Amino acid sequence: MFESLTDRLSQVFQRLRGKGFLTQADVDQGLREIREVLLAADVHHAVVAELLARVRERAVGEKLVESLSPAQQLLAIVRQEMAKIMGGEAQKLKLSGKPAVVMLVGPAGGGKTTTAGKLAQYLRKRGRKPLLVSADPERPAAAEQLQTLAQKIGIAFASADQEPPKQVPKILAQAKKDLIDVAILDTPGTPPGLPPPPFLGELLREVKPSDVLLVLDALVGQEAIRLGQAFLPLGLSGIVLTKLDGDARGGAALSLPSRLRLPIVFVGVGERPEDLEPFDPGRMADRILGLGDLSGLVEKLQEAGVAAKAEKILKEGEFTLEDFLAQLEAVRRAGPLGQLLSRLPGFARPEEDEVEKEFKRMKAIIQSMTVEERRNPHIIGASRKRRIAKGSGTTVQEVNRLLAEYEQAKKLLKGLKHGKIQGGKSPFLR
Ligand code: GDP
Ligand code: MG
């Protein structure tokens, strides 16, 4: 996700990091480069302008914090303003009503039907009892597609294929009796750019969903703004941005919230029913900036039923080499490995084979340490390093690298715990 954007932004900050201090000219140059990168990533020009204006104002106005280098501070400001541009706070579904009704609308092919299934599974995992409803009076195949999906994931299904505005209320009344607490309505899309099917307005008035989500495909970039605008008159509550797994640019994610004045609530990251994630602007900014995404990782690991320890680590800030190994192990088992590892700092998008080799090496190194060394890595001096390298069939350099990776992960965890970045004392980050 966002590979090209992240790569290029990392390069900009890498260059700035090389400097001991930043002059005004350095900052200007940095911002110019960021501007080019964002425009090339297909971010809407007005969004780019607003983002950079806010960053510039703060970069010039705010007092330097001693524990952060100027480049880190600029990065921190960019991170925070980027998160704000994407809506600031994560938004949850309202899910009010008995049953609560979530309606999915959007242009054809955006991913509504797929998202309906994902959302049903997501809500069921969180203790809800969902019903999938197909409301498409035109295409019988549409109802079939959703029904097949519902069967596959074991979710109740109903079809309103004649006059949805009349049928859906009846289906909901029955659902209430069946103790269904959330109904997810899949609707037909129109060809991209055309206004929504006329019956949708009537359906909305009859059903009054607590959540009306606009489903848009990230791969169309900022064109998604125009596609989405056609649906605004319906009265929407949020966006589901799909196909982020294939989006190297990030233009839609950065542009949509401010251009449509709607929060992104979920993102689709693949075709499988489990490939749906809640959207968190701060975390997304971290990802875009290549800062890793440990809190997202923790959530993924919990869902995969592994690494219960990760949360404890985040809470208590204790992080030994044993924890580090447990975390690496859990990450590896949770697979698809590359996808997960790419969120850990120090693991920028490696090749799958390389990851496996690297993991084995790291494991061997940690296992060659004594228990005491694993718990108190600071006692590992030169002679211990030589012993560990020998015992694990690696080199002292590799032992050093592992210790550095560990330190980096630890710093980041501490930073997360205190709402700061890389352990620095930034007042900008929350
Ligand atoms: P609809 O016309 O809006 O109902 O769109 P569909 O749900 O039928 O999806 C259209 C295509 O996009 C299907 O082939 C889906 O598998 C695919 N799709 C939907 N969401 C995602 C996603 O998050 N990632 C990827 N890679 N494909 C997706
Ligand atoms: Mg569909």
Side-chain angles (χ1 to χ4, degrees):
M1 179 189 309
F2 306 147
E3 295 77 9
S4 68
L5 181 55
T6 302
D7 272 353
R8 298 196 51 193
L9 285 173
S10 309
Q11 282 167 22
V12 174
F13 283 103
Q14 203 64 47
R15 256 197 305 283
L16 292 175
R17 256 198 294 277
K19 309 198 167 211
F21 60 94
L22 297 185
T23 62
Q24 184 62 45
D26 290 331
V27 173
D28 287 343
Q29 172 69 17
L31 292 181
R32 257 199 310 277
E33 285 174 1
I34 294 172
R35 178 172 177 276
E36 273 169 36
V37 173
L38 293 176
L39 289 175
D42 200 28
V43 181
H44 190 277
H45 64 86
V47 175
V48 176
E50 187 183 347
L51 175 66
L52 291 187
R54 290 199 212 165
V55 171
R56 185 183 305 273
E57 190 180 321
R58 289 185 49 189
V60 174
E62 285 193 31
K63 263 185 71 165
L64 292 189
V65 181
E66 278 167 29
S67 56
L68 285 183
S69 75
Q72 276 177 323
Q73 295 210 37
L74 187 62
L75 179 62
I77 295 175
V78 171
R79 177 199 180 272
Q80 205 184 31
E81 293 303 327
M82 207 176 243
K84 274 194 208 153
I85 283 272
M86 289 188 286
E89 298 285 310
Q91 298 288 324
K92 290 204 163 102
L93 292 177
K94 283 188 212 71
L95 295 182
S96 58
K98 282 187 175 161
V101 179
V102 181
M103 187 157 144
L104 303 178
V105 302
K112 289 178 296 302
T113 305
T114 314
T115 300
K118 289 177 180 177
L119 199 53
Q121 174 156 312
Y122 177 90
L123 291 170
R124 183 180 51 193
K125 267 196 192 152
R126 282 153 185 79
R128 298 268 176 170
K129 192 176 175 200
L131 167 72
L132 282 164
V133 183
S134 173
D136 191 334
E138 301 287 330
R139 287 190 320 132
E144 243 167 65
Q145 186 194 346
L146 187 63
Q147 184 168 23
T148 309
L149 184 55
Q151 273 165 358
K152 198 172 126 202
I153 56 180
I155 303 268
F157 168 83
S159 172
D161 53 2
Q162 304 295 323
E163 284 180 78
K166 290 213 176 86
Q167 281 174 302
V168 173
K170 287 181 195 154
I171 290 173
L172 294 179
Q174 180 60 43
K176 191 173 173 183
K177 286 186 200 151
D178 296 341
L179 303 180
I180 295 286
D181 54 19
V182 50
I184 299 160
L185 250 59
D186 184 24
T187 64
T190 37
L194 290 186
F199 84 87
L200 280 193
E202 200 187 329
L203 182 59
L204 271 163
R205 282 190 296 278
E206 290 297 329
V207 173
K208 300 195 181 55
S210 63
D211 301 87
V212 184
L213 300 178
L214 173 63
V215 181
L216 293 170
D217 175 347
L219 295 180
V220 303
Q222 58 163 300
E223 168 70 2
I225 299 167
R226 205 177 57 83
L227 297 181
Q229 274 162 348
F231 286 80
L232 288 180
L234 288 177
L236 307 169
S237 57
I239 298 170
V240 180
L241 192 58
T242 63
K243 311 187 197 179
L244 232 57
D245 49 311
D247 181 18
R249 299 183 304 169
L254 276 166
S255 308
L256 284 171
S258 65
R259 297 314 288 172
L260 295 183
R261 298 186 182 284
L262 286 172
I264 299 176
V265 187
F266 287 103
V267 294
V269 294
E271 296 189 81
R272 299 170 310 162
E274 54 271 36
D275 295 331
L276 184 76
E277 295 178 2
F279 180 80
D280 182 318
R283 247 192 238 169
M284 190 55 76
D286 287 349
R287 266 197 209 177
I288 291 174
L289 292 166
L291 295 174
D293 179 6
L294 277 176
S295 44
L297 182 69
V298 171
E299 197 165 276
K300 267 261 161 48
L301 292 175
Q302 279 169 342
E303 278 203 356
V306 289
K309 207 151 183 194
E311 192 180 35
K312 188 169 155 262
I313 293 165
L314 266 185
K315 278 214 186 87
E316 297 171 9
E318 276 247 12
F319 190 61
T320 66
L321 273 164
E322 285 169 339
D323 297 328
F324 188 47
L325 181 62
Q327 192 171 342
L328 290 173
E329 182 102 55
V331 165
R332 196 177 61 108
R333 268 189 284 135
L337 192 55
Q339 190 197 340
L340 280 170
L341 271 183
S342 73
R343 299 171 181 205
L344 263 182
F347 286 91
R349 299 172 302 286
E351 294 299 320
E352 199 90 346
D353 274 3
E354 277 305 305
V355 172
E356 197 64 23
K357 269 194 228 145
E358 178 74 9
F359 172 76
K360 288 214 177 99
R361 226 174 358 247
M362 291 175 119
K363 189 171 171 178
I365 293 173
I366 294 175
Q367 284 176 337
S368 298
M369 294 175 184
T370 64
V371 172
E372 204 197 350
E373 285 165 347
R374 287 181 215 165
R375 300 210 172 136
N376 305 299
H378 63 270
I379 65 170
I380 303 176
S383 71
R384 286 179 191 253
K385 281 179 190 168
R386 277 195 297 277
R387 193 206 76 235
I388 293 166
K390 209 161 169 226
S392 57
T394 59
T395 63
V396 169
Q397 282 86 347
E398 281 170 319
V399 175
N400 279 333
R401 198 167 71 220
L402 172 115
L403 290 171
E405 301 261 16
Y406 157 74
E407 282 301 330
Q408 202 189 352
K410 187 168 143 183
K411 259 193 198 162
L412 196 110
L413 279 168
K414 274 214 182 114
L416 276 181
K417 189 181 151 227
H418 297 117
K420 295 173 213 145
I421 195 167
Q422 309 201 325
K425 290 195 187 68
S426 168
F428 312 133
L429 299 169
R430 269 161 259 283

